[in-house]
Amino acid sequence: SDFKTFGKYESFAQQNMSMYESSTFSNQEEDSEEEPKLKYERLSNGVTEILQKDAASCMTVHDKFLALGTHFGKVFLLDIQGNVTQKFEISSVKINQISLDESGEHVGICSEDGKVVAVHPQFTRSNYKQFVTGGNKLLLYERNWLNRWKTSVLHEGEGSITNIQWRANLIAWSNNVGVKIYDIGTKQRITNVLRDNVSLRPDMYPCSLCWKDNATLIVGWGKSIKICVVKERNPTEMRDLPSRYVEIVSAFETEFFISGLAPLADQLVTLYFVKENSEHMFRARPRLDIIQTLPESCEEISSDALTVRNFQDNECRDYRLEHSEGESLFYIISPKDIVVAKERDQDDHIDWLLEKKKYEEALMAAEISFKNIKRHDVQKIGMAYINHLVEKGDYDSAARKCQKVLGKNMDLWENEVYRFKTIGQLKAISQYLPRGDLRLRPAIYEMILHEFLKTDYEGFATLIREWPGELYNNMAIVQAVSDHLKRDPTNRTLLTTLAELYTYDQRYDKALEIYLKLRHKDVYQLIHKHNLFASIEDKIVLLMDFDKEKAVDMLLDNEDKISTDRVVEELADRPELLHVYLHKLFKRDHHKGQKYHERQIGLYAEYDRPNLLPFLRDSTHCPLEKALEVCQQRNFVEETVFLLSRMGNCRRALQMIMEELEDVDKAIEFAKEQDDAELWEDLISYSIDKPPFITGLLNNIGTHVDPILLIHRIKEGMEIPNLRDSLVKILQDYNLQILLREGCKKILVADSLSLLQKMHRTQMRGVRVDEENICESCHATILPSDMAKPFNVVVFHCRHMFHKECLPSSGTIPGVQFCNICSAKRRGPGGGILEMKK
């Protein structure tokens, strides 16, 4: 007594149908990767007891209760779980059909003997206003205003009516010929849907009718399914036709015989009767399929073969399919069994995923729908997933899932840690342990650290770096590391880790010693971060040996904490390091280390000669005599030349260039810098008997000294290399100078003329005279108060103004007057007067 799913082969579709009696379910379901769409359960034992003595013939479903009719003429009122609440004996023969109105307040019952009873669910006689009955005629009963029944024949003459379904104003019924639809509102028969396979006996393969909504009728007969939609006719097309018509939107054949139909959203649930197969000698079980209807075919979504009691004895007419629209419940009624099919909920989906060992999908589904699931717990699913991963040996994935699954449950965390310890996989879970606000007991972390310390120094060091120091007892771990170092005292990994542990414990001196011993790059960061400058005063040499550049930068950046004098004292025995420090100090500030400049002369001479000359040039505190002595001892000619010139002994400096360096270009450059005629005379005198030097002089001195002075002193007959080229260059330099002078003269004349013209234009402009101007002689207002009277005013180009009568007599040049003020200041004549007369 099992349910099976048909595909290429049969497999069981459901394994948790709790109410199936004495049912066992095969593991063949595991072979199918497709999840069932429905789940099944048998109605309660009360129904089972009824059907042991009687047989179900029909049933109707309401959201609040069920009504079951039997072959012995009884009607049972059941609750949703199938428990009997009331029992009524309606007839002595089979109950053919039970109907309910939408409210569930009235029930219509018809029996095999043709009787129809309309009752209330409490089974008192009802005041039903309208109902129909079948038989050989379709009769409509209506109460008139006198509360008497009025009977109307809606249809007759086509044999017995086998099924009637009423929805809103539409009544659908079937007889031996086909299916009719009647509009009770307009009192018109709308259509006649003919029966396809007339060879099938109507009593053995009855028609199944089901209203999907108020306008859609689903018709199943034999192996044919048709979906009919009632539509309003265009008023212009009516004439004598009904106001509505029916369009068959889908029609197709199925593989098996139809025993019942029910809608499921935009899909269709079908109950099939499968004929017995004589070749294989077994009686087929009924099938419940979900199909997607298409215009001329259908697509199977799911298919379940149902093992109902005594299915071997049943025929197509013995099965019924009823449904509850509110909850998508489907009731499969057979004479000796009633099974309920339900849509699978999220709990069922998770059950199936767990059964298929799809734990990750199950966990995801539970997390998404955690508010809707009732039987499952997200954490329990997660634990099942972790157990599965551990069983597979995928310890890293199992440990990673612990973060998500265990969350803030510290007890579960500790249990998992001990489990991983038992299987020897503490390393796998170590990187995922809580280390934030929520933490495990320190002993847990220490246990893992000890495990790493035994087998994996690098892993141990990684954990120490990643884990906050407050997770564990720092001193206990320090002691453990110290014990291991006794056996391996030079192990860099352990030493570095020990330094980090000392840092966590604020024992910075010990950490610093280890870092310096290892020359670890973090030593400078440690000093800065924890202000350990007082601890490194006696370790400056070690720091410099490790990284001179970083050490010097750090010392210079923190002169307020470690003085220059202290650094110099520490480096006294290491002059090469002292030089590096003082050199950088000098680069930063030429004056800070001035008292060490004398010492630096020797340091530069010994360790860094290329920077000696720049130091001598830039330092203003360097003793020149000491520097000269050092440079002469070491025969540093360039530095000696510079010092001699700086001390004023330019002739000796030039002599060294000529005699020791023998570099005429450098000598000429030196003479140019000093710009001293005597030096040039010395240079010429020294070079006059040296032809290469004469060539150099001829090529370079033309712009500084008259070349004739040199040429006159050259001895006749002396062979001078490249003399012709040198003379050509002298002439070219001379021509160039002449051209430059002429160009400059032209520019000067042009500028003078331009400025003269500008001055002339400026002086020829008008001068504003108003009441604010005064006479520079009498200091009275330049303009009279009565402008109507004649007056004379003299205005010079220097903008000084006088009354004409206030001016003294003309000067030595007749007719030319000068501004007395400007003449007195010797600023030149203010000639070119402007005279105003009125």
Side-chain angles (χ1 to χ4, degrees):
S1 55
D2 303 318
F3 288 86
K4 282 191 175 180
T5 302
F6 278 76
K8 282 188 177 180
Y9 51 85
E10 292 184 341
S11 61
F12 290 97
Q14 186 66 31
Q15 299 192 23
N16 61 347
M17 300 171 60
S18 58
M19 302 186 68
Y20 263 67
E21 299 173 358
S22 304
S23 295
T24 58
F25 302 96
S26 168
N27 289 330
Q28 296 175 21
E29 162 69 1
E30 296 176 1
D31 297 335
S32 174
E33 290 300 324
E34 185 176 352
E35 183 179 0
K37 302 296 182 183
L38 301 172
K39 62 178 180 178
Y40 302 89
E41 63 182 30
R42 191 171 266 123
L43 284 184
S44 68
N45 292 332
V47 173
T48 303
E49 292 175 3
I50 294 171
L51 300 184
Q52 284 177 350
K53 301 176 183 178
D54 203 339
S57 59
C58 62
M59 191 172 79
T60 190
V61 179
H62 192 269
D63 292 341
K64 300 176 183 177
F65 62 92
L66 310 174
L68 173 66
T70 69
H71 280 256
F72 290 173
K74 297 180 178 62
V75 174
F76 294 89
L77 197 63
L78 314 172
D79 60 17
I80 299 301
Q81 287 74 33
N83 299 308
V84 178
T85 57
Q86 294 185 57
K87 170 187 173 182
F88 301 94
E89 295 189 8
I90 301 299
S91 174
S92 59
V93 294
K94 173 183 173 183
I95 303 296
N96 281 340
Q97 192 166 349
I98 302 173
S99 295
L100 298 171
D101 63 356
E102 291 183 1
S103 65
E105 294 181 358
H106 302 92
V107 181
I109 305 168
C110 66
S111 54
E112 189 77 19
D113 56 7
K115 293 182 180 179
V116 176
V117 179
V119 296
H120 190 273
Q122 300 300 323
F123 280 71
T124 58
R125 295 295 173 177
S126 171
N127 293 323
Y128 222 82
K129 294 183 178 180
Q130 245 182 354
F131 65 92
V132 294
T133 63
N136 292 326
K137 298 179 182 181
L138 181 66
L139 299 178
L140 171 65
Y141 292 85
E142 298 177 285
R143 289 186 186 274
N144 59 18
W145 64 279
L146 294 174
N147 205 28
R148 295 181 180 177
W149 288 105
K150 174 186 175 183
T151 305
S152 304
V153 178
L154 301 183
H155 183 73
E156 65 177 332
E158 291 184 355
S160 298
I161 295 172
T162 56
N163 195 353
I164 304 174
Q165 294 293 331
W166 190 341
R167 178 80 172 239
N169 287 334
L170 299 175
I171 303 173
W173 71 93
S174 63
N175 54 27
N176 293 344
V177 177
V179 175
K180 279 75 176 172
I181 300 176
Y182 184 86
D183 186 349
I184 200 170
T186 60
K187 299 189 181 301
Q188 292 176 317
R189 195 174 79 184
I190 298 173
T191 190
N192 178 28
V193 181
L194 296 177
R195 173 179 163 200
D196 290 336
N197 195 340
V198 296
S199 62
L200 296 176
R201 289 174 51 185
D203 58 332
M204 296 298 292
Y205 299 94
C207 176
S208 295
L209 299 176
C210 174
W211 286 102
K212 180 179 179 180
D213 51 44
N214 290 348
T216 305
L217 177 68
I218 306 171
V219 179
W221 206 336
K223 295 184 178 182
S224 172
I225 293 179
K226 295 177 181 177
I227 299 179
C228 308
V229 179
V230 179
K231 299 184 177 181
E232 297 290 338
R233 196 183 299 276
N234 191 321
T236 59
E237 300 176 357
M238 281 189 185
R239 302 175 189 162
D240 297 329
L241 298 175
S243 61
R244 294 184 176 184
Y245 68 98
V246 170
E247 179 182 345
I248 299 176
V249 296
S250 178
F252 52 88
E253 293 289 323
T254 62
E255 187 179 354
F256 307 109
F257 297 99
I258 297 161
S259 294
L261 298 167
L264 176 62
D266 61 339
Q267 297 170 340
L268 190 62
V269 178
T270 58
L271 177 63
Y272 291 128
F273 168 74
V274 184
K275 276 193 171 183
E276 66 180 26
N277 190 323
S278 57
E279 294 180 4
H280 294 87
M281 298 302 293
F282 72 88
R283 302 282 281 183
R285 293 169 295 179
R287 284 177 37 159
L288 191 71
D289 286 11
I290 299 176
I291 61 176
Q292 181 69 56
T293 60
L294 303 172
E296 297 181 357
S297 62
C298 66
E299 179 183 347
E300 183 182 286
I301 305 300
S302 72
S303 180
D304 297 335
L306 313 179
T307 302
V308 298
R309 294 191 184 101
N310 297 345
F311 69 87
Q312 302 90 340
D313 302 327
N314 296 337
E315 297 289 344
C316 183
R317 63 183 177 181
D318 294 322
Y319 293 108
R320 301 270 184 107
L321 178 64
E322 299 290 340
H323 72 285
S324 171
E325 296 181 3
E327 299 183 18
S328 295
L329 299 175
F330 303 94
Y331 295 83
I332 298 95
I333 300 105
S334 67
K336 291 297 182 181
D337 206 357
I338 299 176
V339 174
V340 185
K342 301 179 180 179
E343 279 192 285
R344 293 169 62 86
D345 57 19
Q346 196 67 8
D347 282 295
D348 300 311
H349 175 58
I350 294 171
D351 282 334
W352 184 82
L353 292 172
L354 292 175
E355 179 188 339
K356 293 294 182 183
K357 300 188 182 300
K358 298 182 179 182
Y359 293 98
E360 187 166 10
E361 295 177 31
L363 182 59
M364 188 181 300
E367 288 172 342
I368 294 172
S369 307
F370 72 96
K371 292 183 179 179
N372 298 324
I373 56 176
K374 299 175 182 177
R375 293 188 286 105
H376 288 286
D377 179 75
V378 174
Q379 195 169 68
K380 289 181 179 178
I381 296 172
M383 289 301 298
Y385 187 19
I386 293 172
N387 295 337
H388 172 69
L389 292 172
V390 170
E391 290 172 4
K392 281 175 55 181
D394 190 354
Y395 303 112
D396 185 69
S397 297
R400 187 164 54 250
K401 283 297 173 186
C402 287
Q403 269 189 319
K404 184 176 183 180
V405 172
L406 305 182
K408 301 178 181 179
N409 192 322
M410 296 298 107
D411 292 335
L412 286 179
W413 265 112
E414 292 196 5
N415 290 338
E416 285 304 305
V417 171
Y418 283 115
R419 176 164 73 155
F420 274 73
K421 175 179 173 56
T422 303
I423 60 179
Q425 292 294 329
L426 274 178
K427 291 183 180 180
I429 201 172
S430 62
Q431 58 184 313
Y432 303 108
L433 292 182
R435 60 185 77 170
D437 295 334
L438 294 171
R439 298 171 182 173
L440 305 177
R441 291 182 295 112
I444 301 295
Y445 300 100
E446 291 169 18
M447 176 178 69
I448 293 174
L449 289 173
H450 281 293
E451 181 71 21
F452 271 89
L453 194 55
K454 291 177 185 176
T455 58
D456 183 2
Y457 286 164
E458 292 295 336
F460 174 76
T462 301
L463 289 185
I464 293 298
R465 283 194 296 270
E466 293 179 352
W467 285 0
E470 56 269 19
L471 289 180
Y472 46 84
N473 184 337
N474 196 66
M475 290 306 299
I477 304 301
V478 167
Q479 185 59 48
V481 175
S482 300
D483 292 341
H484 279 264
L485 279 171
K486 291 176 183 177
R487 298 191 292 270
D488 188 3
T490 61
N491 189 289
R492 288 186 62 86
T493 302
L494 286 180
L495 286 170
T496 304
T497 308
L498 183 59
E500 291 175 1
L501 289 168
Y502 280 137
T503 304
Y504 294 149
D505 204 29
Q506 298 183 1
R507 297 160 71 180
Y508 302 119
D509 290 345
K510 288 185 173 294
L512 186 60
E513 287 180 10
I514 295 174
Y515 279 138
L516 288 173
K517 179 180 178 182
L518 296 175
R519 297 192 174 189
H520 197 278
K521 60 182 178 61
D522 290 342
V523 65
Y524 299 102
Q525 181 182 354
L526 181 71
I527 294 168
H528 279 289
K529 185 175 181 181
H530 301 291
N531 196 21
L532 303 180
F533 297 99
S535 302
I536 64 169
E537 287 188 352
D538 57 347
K539 300 179 178 65
I540 293 174
V541 174
L542 287 174
L543 287 168
M544 293 282 285
D545 282 336
F546 173 30
D547 189 328
K548 291 190 287 289
E549 298 298 324
K550 278 190 177 181
V552 171
D553 287 339
M554 181 187 70
L555 293 170
L556 293 177
D557 290 340
N558 296 275
E559 287 182 81
D560 56 329
K561 297 167 184 172
I562 301 181
S563 67
T564 302
D565 295 340
R566 177 61 175 163
V567 176
V568 172
E569 180 184 346
E570 284 293 316
L571 297 177
D573 296 333
R574 296 290 299 276
E576 74 280 8
L577 299 179
L578 178 60
H579 164 68
V580 174
Y581 173 77
L582 291 176
H583 172 64
K584 279 210 169 187
L585 176 63
F586 180 75
K587 286 293 184 183
R588 289 198 179 192
D589 190 328
H590 294 344
H591 306 288
K592 271 191 176 180
Q594 58 183 342
K595 66 180 180 180
Y596 302 112
H597 285 195
E598 181 176 349
R599 185 185 297 189
Q600 282 185 269
I601 297 169
L603 293 174
Y604 275 111
E606 181 70 26
Y607 302 107
D608 190 9
R609 185 189 169 184
N611 281 314
L612 174 58
L613 187 57
F615 170 73
L616 295 174
R617 286 195 180 116
D618 294 337
S619 173
T620 57
H621 307 286
C622 176
L624 299 180
E625 294 81 3
K626 173 66 175 176
L628 181 62
E629 179 185 347
V630 171
C631 293
Q632 286 177 338
Q633 287 175 353
R634 295 176 181 269
N635 198 25
F636 292 168
V637 179
E638 290 186 17
E639 291 81 357
T640 303
V641 168
F642 169 75
L643 290 170
L644 287 172
S645 64
R646 189 168 174 183
M647 295 169 71
N649 195 352
C650 296
R651 300 186 73 175
R652 173 61 183 148
L654 180 63
Q655 183 182 356
M656 287 191 69
I657 295 173
M658 300 294 289
E659 292 178 354
E660 298 189 28
L661 294 180
E662 296 183 352
D663 188 342
V664 66
D665 293 330
K666 195 170 188 69
I668 293 170
E669 188 65 32
F670 181 76
K672 289 179 181 179
E673 289 178 359
Q674 303 303 320
D675 195 19
D676 187 345
E678 292 184 1
L679 282 180
W680 285 109
E681 180 65 26
D682 290 344
L683 180 57
I684 293 171
S685 298
Y686 181 83
S687 306
I688 202 65
D689 58 347
K690 299 178 178 64
F693 276 43
I694 293 176
T695 301
L697 287 172
L698 290 172
N699 286 334
N700 290 282
I701 70 171
T703 55
H704 295 273
V705 179
D706 189 354
I708 296 298
L709 296 175
L710 174 62
I711 293 171
H712 280 315
R713 297 179 63 177
I714 299 173
K715 296 179 181 179
E716 291 186 11
M718 179 181 287
E719 185 176 343
I720 301 172
N722 301 317
L723 177 60
R724 185 188 63 180
D725 294 339
S726 299
L727 294 174
V728 169
K729 187 173 186 305
I730 290 172
L731 294 174
Q732 288 176 341
D733 290 344
Y734 179 76
N735 288 332
L736 180 61
Q737 289 184 29
I738 297 299
L739 289 174
L740 287 173
R741 288 178 181 179
E742 289 178 355
C744 291
K745 182 179 178 182
K746 289 179 181 178
I747 294 171
L748 180 61
V749 171
D751 286 350
S752 299
L753 179 60
S754 174
L755 291 172
L756 180 62
Q757 291 173 342
K758 183 177 180 182
M759 183 183 73
H760 184 261
R761 287 196 302 270
T762 304
Q763 290 181 341
M764 292 303 293
R765 290 177 182 170
V767 178
R768 179 182 178 84
V769 179
D770 55 23
E771 295 83 355
E772 295 180 357
N773 298 112
I774 61 173
C775 174
E776 297 293 344
S777 180
C778 67
H779 300 291
T781 304
I782 198 70
L783 298 177
S785 56
D786 187 1
M787 297 292 290
K789 296 179 179 180
F791 62 91
N792 293 324
V793 174
V794 178
V795 181
F796 292 92
H797 289 301
C798 60
R799 300 302 189 264
H800 291 131
M801 304 178 186
F802 298 90
H803 295 121
K804 187 171 184 180
E805 58 271 17
C806 293
L807 277 174
S809 60
S810 302
T812 58
I813 304 175
V816 178
Q817 291 181 314
F818 300 97
C819 173
N820 294 340
I821 296 174
C822 293
S823 299
K825 292 180 179 179
R826 296 184 179 179
R827 292 170 57 187
I833 62 173
L834 298 175
E835 186 173 341
M836 298 176 60
K837 296 181 179 181
K838 185 173 179 182

